[in-house]
Amino acid sequence: MLKADSPSSNFIRNIVLEDLEANKNHGRVLTRFPPEPNGHLHIGHAKSICLNFGLAAEFGGLCNLRFDDTNPGREDVEYVESIKSAIRWLGFDWGDREYYASDYFEQLYQFAVRLIKDGKAYICDLSAGQMREYRGTLTEPGKDSPFRTRSVEENMGLYERMRAGEFQEGSRTLRAKIDMASSNLNMRDPVMYRILYATHHRTGDKWCIYPTYDFAHGQSDSIEGITHSVCTLEFEDHRPLYDWFLDQLKVYHPRQIEFARLNLSYTLMSKRRLLELVEQGHVTGWDDPRMPTLAGLRRRGYTPESIRNFCERIGVAKKNSTVDIALLEHCLREELNRCAPRVMAVLRPLRVVIDNYPEDRVEEVEAVNNPEDPSMGTRKVPFSRVLYVEQEDFREDPPKQFFRLAPGREVRLRYAYIIKCVGVVKEPVTGEVTELHCTFDPDTKSGSAQGGRRVKGTIHWVSAAHSLEAEVRLYNHLFVKPDPDDVEEGADWKSNLNENSLEILTSCRVEPSLAGAVPESHYQFERLGYFSVDSSDRTLTFNRAVPLRDTWAKIEKAQKKG
Ligand code: ATP
Ligand code: MG
């Protein structure tokens, strides 16, 4: 077992370990992941999923999936399905333990009745505005509601009539009778039930009163026998209330433990804001590859393993902080470097004619699929007289350190020959370079006996006649600033949206081995980055998951030095 000083340990694991050692819960570990079905899951949720399912797996326990569906109106079955498929995709399994807080509505109602009968809850007729006034502030105590002293009989009668739909929405609430002078505002007679005439996605119109999060959550944990109820820091101040309900009801009492939520630079995690981006058309949908949603990351080219790995590496802390998005990119790069086959693709093609290469000749050169993993083998790539190379691999007037193509200069074509640029064709009006003429040296074929002659630069290429046309989408950060909320006074966080977060290139050329590439499969385009096949397109479309340049490795190096 992982002890406190093991690299993967964290304070929550240590609590679970202590509880196991003390034989609390008879050695049982049962966690839960409790999403509200009001949006799609994002990378922050992945942290919570990995933590909850991870703890259960590590200690031979189980993790429930529980939809926290106590807000009809904002919730939808569409979200339920998308949440389930995202968790499965991440690699976790809740077995047959798919629960809904709404499954417990009757029992929660009965719990409330118990509190009313014990004189620990009352029906309050204050409006929302009045309730706020009575509540007091952080520095001033609140005032008792004039309805606080209602008799048990009156409260029971009113509660039954609330359920029966006799009162208007917002006219009454059921409140816990705790302490209006408590220094913790959550303990100042919090609302347990409110009247809502909304159709629920599961219970339909059966109910017109709905429990609040605070009343539903702990009791649902208790009903399921959860041992460790892990949640984010903003619920720390709710813990006394979580404990109070369970203590008053004298039911099984799980332990709530809070950890810091994940924040990532150059993006944001609020479902409400992500919804705004979708609704206002700043992105193409929840699965837009620029979104931090699991659906978006998946389409972008992220793998479940890279995300799990990231969640492991960021650890679990007690204090909020922001993680550099470069670390997430690094985790993907690390995996794809090992696993993704390498291919050649030219994003901005420049035509090259090899004047001394026979017009009707086609050779197949042998290319290595992944030098990191010889077992991935080799493939044949056709080479012919007319090729495409990257526009940026040619400079008419090259700077000193430019070792690629230029008039009179030699360069090696990856896996093939050394060529020399002998002519440049330009568009007469704009002066734009449209074609290069080169000669090849037949004695320099890669892998051949004399092929070893060295030149400084090697560039990638495809054969014009054999390559396939493809669309390539280059993504950049969604926001221009690490913190999207870093704005001038009065300005909106959306003013930090990156106008250049997407660049679409429609006339790219890729080597023929990519014909029939399967959606969501990954490739390294040599010298360019990691790409994945888009799942929603019929034409060959690639999303750039991450460029090759690893900014995280640089940061780490600098940290070690400093
Ligand atoms: P949002 O504020 O974006 O609406 P939420 O917390 O309301 O998110 P829920 O559906 O209630 O979303 O979250 C389900 C679980 O995921 C909760 O236990 C929550 O604490 C956890 N969670 C949500 N966001 C993060 C995050 N950024 N980092 C870690 N855990 C998170
Ligand atoms: Mg929530």
Side-chain angles (χ1 to χ4, degrees):
M1 260 183 218
L2 283 162
K3 291 289 174 203
D5 54 354
S6 118
S8 293
S9 83
N10 64 58
F11 75 96
I12 298 182
R13 247 185 198 125
N14 291 341
I15 290 174
V16 175
L17 265 174
E18 279 163 27
D19 287 349
L20 283 173
E21 270 158 27
N23 199 30
K24 208 175 150 186
N25 307 307
H26 309 287
R28 212 166 46 85
V29 174
L30 181 60
T31 56
R32 85 286 171 266
F33 174 65
E36 186 182 349
N38 65 348
H40 298 263
L41 297 186
H42 51 60
I43 180 90
H45 293 114
K47 176 174 178 177
S48 175
I49 293 168
C50 290
L51 181 59
N52 279 296
F53 280 92
L55 282 171
E58 184 181 343
F59 298 109
L62 294 168
C63 179
N64 293 351
L65 171 60
R66 183 193 323 136
F67 288 99
D68 210 338
D69 53 351
T70 54
N71 284 308
R74 292 212 311 243
E75 298 164 358
D76 202 279
V77 279
E78 172 206 331
Y79 297 128
V80 169
E81 290 312 316
S82 125
I83 288 170
K84 291 201 292 191
S85 90
I87 301 172
R88 261 188 228 114
W89 175 74
L90 259 188
F92 297 103
D93 183 8
W94 56 92
D96 58 357
R97 296 174 319 286
E98 175 181 331
Y99 301 124
Y100 293 82
S102 56
D103 293 341
Y104 311 135
F105 279 172
E106 183 60 41
Q107 180 145 18
L108 292 171
Y109 179 84
Q110 296 304 334
F111 278 149
V113 166
R114 217 194 279 174
L115 291 181
I116 293 172
K117 290 192 171 158
D118 286 348
K120 291 179 181 143
Y122 63 96
I123 303 293
C124 183
D125 301 358
L126 293 181
S127 67
Q130 289 167 323
M131 216 184 280
R132 225 171 293 126
E133 272 169 42
Y134 275 76
R135 200 169 182 224
T137 63
L138 281 172
T139 49
E140 284 164 64
K143 277 189 304 184
D144 283 2
S145 158
F147 306 98
R148 205 174 195 261
T149 51
R150 273 179 167 151
S151 68
V152 169
E153 291 66 37
E154 189 183 1
N155 281 323
M156 267 316 300
L158 287 170
Y159 190 45
E160 277 161 12
R161 291 173 62 200
M162 254 169 81
R163 177 180 184 166
E166 288 187 31
F167 306 125
Q168 271 183 1
E169 195 164 298
S171 63
R172 289 191 160 92
T173 55
L174 176 70
R175 299 176 68 179
K177 197 190 261 190
I178 309 180
D179 178 9
M180 288 305 292
S182 171
S183 58
N184 182 341
L185 268 68
N186 294 303
M187 300 298 273
R188 293 184 187 170
D189 291 9
V191 172
M192 295 165 56
Y193 268 89
R194 67 262 201 243
I195 303 172
L196 273 179
Y197 291 96
T199 302
H200 187 280
H201 65 102
R202 284 178 67 86
T203 57
D205 294 321
K206 178 160 181 227
W207 294 90
C208 62
I209 56 171
Y210 289 94
T212 55
Y213 171 87
D214 280 322
F215 188 62
H217 200 78
Q219 281 49 255
S220 301
D221 282 346
S222 175
I223 292 167
E224 291 177 17
I226 300 300
T227 57
H228 300 86
S229 177
V230 177
C231 62
T232 38
L233 274 187
E234 66 271 24
F235 293 104
E236 194 167 18
D237 291 344
H238 295 241
R239 185 172 2 113
L241 182 56
Y242 181 100
D243 290 336
W244 188 88
F245 283 129
L246 295 168
D247 287 341
Q248 301 307 314
L249 289 166
K250 301 184 187 68
V251 291
Y252 169 75
H253 197 141
R255 175 167 181 182
Q256 175 178 308
I257 310 164
E258 310 85 18
F259 71 101
R261 61 195 296 127
L262 167 67
N263 298 301
L264 256 192
S265 62
Y266 295 102
T267 188
L268 46 79
M269 300 286 159
S270 145
K271 279 186 278 190
R272 187 176 49 77
R273 286 178 170 187
L274 294 175
L275 178 65
E276 208 173 318
L277 292 180
V278 173
E279 283 179 342
Q280 296 181 2
H282 297 290
V283 293
T284 57
W286 284 98
D287 68 345
D288 186 301
R290 289 167 289 182
M291 291 281 270
T293 52
L294 294 179
L297 290 167
R298 176 177 181 175
R299 217 176 131 195
R300 172 84 168 249
Y302 275 85
T303 61
E305 188 185 332
S306 64
I307 293 175
R308 291 196 307 263
N309 204 342
F310 168 75
C311 291
E312 180 66 31
R313 275 161 91 154
I314 55 176
V316 181
K318 198 75 198 165
K319 217 173 129 244
N320 281 318
S321 66
T322 298
V323 174
D324 194 324
I325 199 166
L327 175 59
L328 177 64
E329 295 173 350
H330 174 79
C331 290
L332 180 63
R333 215 177 266 119
E334 214 178 43
E335 182 189 344
L336 295 184
N337 180 47
R338 276 185 285 114
C339 314
R342 300 187 187 182
V343 293
M344 292 196 284
V346 175
L347 301 193
R348 297 173 184 86
L350 172 60
R351 216 172 117 92
V352 170
V353 179
I354 303 178
D355 293 335
N356 61 338
Y357 196 87
E359 220 157 305
D360 53 358
R361 188 157 135 201
V362 179
E363 272 177 83
E364 294 209 302
V365 300
E366 186 158 24
V368 175
N369 289 333
N370 189 336
E372 301 284 321
D373 181 359
S375 77
M376 287 172 72
T378 61
R379 68 188 185 287
K380 303 276 191 215
V381 182
F383 181 90
S384 65
R385 176 182 160 93
V386 183
L387 311 172
Y388 288 117
V389 301
E390 213 65 67
Q391 282 169 21
E392 61 175 31
D393 282 336
F394 171 78
R395 290 279 187 93
E396 202 171 9
D397 192 9
K400 239 194 173 140
Q401 293 300 309
F402 189 83
F403 299 120
R404 295 171 259 169
L405 272 178
R409 295 242 186 127
E410 281 190 323
V411 79
R412 174 172 292 283
L413 295 176
R414 183 96 163 124
Y415 302 120
Y417 300 97
I418 291 175
I419 58 169
K420 181 179 190 170
C421 178
V422 294
V424 180
V425 181
K426 289 186 198 174
E427 212 279 326
V429 181
T430 62
E432 187 198 351
V433 176
T434 55
E435 186 176 287
L436 301 181
H437 284 265
C438 295
T439 55
F440 87 113
D441 177 349
D443 291 334
T444 57
K445 190 167 181 183
S446 284
S448 71
Q450 309 92 339
R453 179 156 81 83
R454 286 167 85 89
V455 287
K456 275 205 166 145
T458 299
I459 63 172
H460 61 275
W461 53 274
V462 294
S463 163
H466 303 88
S467 60
L468 311 170
E469 190 172 87
E471 178 171 319
V472 171
R473 299 173 184 167
L474 304 177
Y475 298 98
N476 292 303
H477 295 325
L478 190 50
F479 291 90
V480 290
K481 292 199 185 147
D483 175 9
D485 278 318
D486 177 9
V487 285
E488 298 286 309
E489 199 163 315
D492 189 69
W493 55 276
K494 279 173 283 170
S495 64
N496 275 332
L497 276 168
N498 181 3
E499 280 175 31
N500 302 311
S501 58
L502 170 60
E503 185 181 356
I504 300 181
L505 304 172
T506 50
S507 39
C508 310
R509 310 290 310 189
V510 299
E511 63 168 72
S513 73
L514 285 169
V518 183
E520 294 191 17
S521 53
H522 301 87
Y523 296 92
Q524 184 195 108
F525 288 179
E526 294 221 20
R527 300 176 62 229
L528 297 173
Y530 295 99
F531 294 75
S532 80
V533 182
D534 194 83
S535 44
S536 72
D537 257 275
R538 268 164 297 135
T539 54
L540 200 50
T541 300
F542 294 89
N543 295 314
R544 182 174 71 189
V546 280
L548 280 183
R549 206 167 63 99
D550 191 339
T551 47
W552 181 255
K554 262 194 181 163
I555 294 168
E556 253 182 351
K557 220 170 158 186
Q559 277 171 348
K560 274 187 195 139
K561 262 195 202 154

